[in-house]
Amino acid sequence: MTAFAPGLSVTTRRLLLRPFDPSDARRIRVVIETRAPFLPPGAPGRPSGVAAWLARGAHELRRSGQGAHLAIEADGLIVGAISLFGTRWEAGTTEIGYGVHPLHRGRGYASEAVLGLARWTFGNTSLRRIELRADADNHASLRVAEKAGFVREGTLRAAAMRPDGPRDVVVFGLLGSDLSRGENGPGDGSGGTGETVRWR
């Protein structure tokens, strides 16, 4: 397998991870108008761009074979977004990024979504490794990675540039064998702490 299916969806205990759809237009417009920071890279900055993004832009990553942008849905509401990106099929690796709406943080949605998508990836593709990167001072994202079972592998010094200067970046990795340590692997992350966006 060297591509992600158009209908890729994952169900976890509390969440549905599914492709963005034109029916999400009203919700995404509200998100943009209120400047809630959780949509993936490439999402429009203005409400006028929502229809085109939902029809085409949100699916370009999947069409390229390099990943997929998915909505995180809980109780019928879009509470966040999660993506696989930078996929190298020949190497068997991909990277994961996510964001949770500020009103829905503190409920463990990010780690539950990350773990759910990781399990799907290892069970349904030939990919063997998933990376997750977080700024060293982004403690919420570090907790998300750890709760989802990712292994801290090292720190890239001054590897990210933020508006207020360079940041160290912590690199985490997850292999399929890491999920088989227990019957259910790492916990689902429910009851967790705040989540913040981590996309490159």
Side-chain angles (χ1 to χ4, degrees):
M1 180 178 187
T2 58
F4 296 100
L8 192 170
S9 65
V10 179
T11 301
T12 69
R13 187 170 65 85
R14 300 178 296 167
L15 306 173
L16 172 63
L17 315 180
R18 48 111 177 141
F20 286 94
D21 183 87
S23 65
D24 297 323
R26 184 185 63 80
R27 171 67 171 156
I28 299 303
R29 286 192 189 98
V30 171
V31 167
I32 292 170
E33 289 168 351
T34 58
R35 300 187 181 278
F38 76 84
L39 293 174
R46 299 178 183 177
S48 61
V50 169
W53 183 73
L54 289 174
R56 295 182 299 279
H59 310 290
E60 287 178 0
L61 185 63
R62 179 192 55 77
R63 291 185 183 116
S64 74
Q66 296 180 18
H69 292 314
L70 303 173
I72 302 174
E73 185 177 301
D75 299 321
L77 297 175
I78 295 178
V79 299
I82 189 166
S83 300
L84 296 174
F85 60 96
T87 303
R88 295 189 300 149
W89 293 100
E90 70 284 358
T93 65
T94 192
E95 190 167 345
I96 198 165
Y98 52 84
V100 174
H101 192 293
L103 294 178
H104 298 281
R105 293 177 183 168
R107 305 178 191 183
Y109 288 156
S111 50
E112 183 173 340
V114 167
L115 178 57
L117 186 53
R119 285 176 168 158
W120 180 91
T121 299
F122 291 133
N124 294 275
T125 76
S126 60
L127 298 172
R128 59 181 182 78
R129 172 182 168 82
I130 302 173
E131 290 187 2
L132 188 157
R133 299 178 184 226
D135 289 0
D137 60 354
N138 188 340
H139 302 294
S141 273
L142 300 179
R143 286 193 296 269
V144 166
E146 291 163 351
K147 287 168 57 180
F150 281 69
V151 176
R152 187 185 295 236
E153 296 180 338
T155 300
L156 305 177
R157 296 177 298 161
M161 181 58 72
R162 306 300 176 217
D164 57 348
R167 289 283 185 278
D168 291 351
V169 174
V170 179
V171 179
F172 292 87
L174 185 72
L175 306 177
S177 58
D178 295 329
L179 295 181
S180 62
R181 287 178 293 178
E183 181 180 345
N184 296 315
D188 65 8
S190 57
T193 56
E195 299 88 30
T196 56
V197 173
R198 178 56 200 132
W199 278 291
R200 195 161 45 188

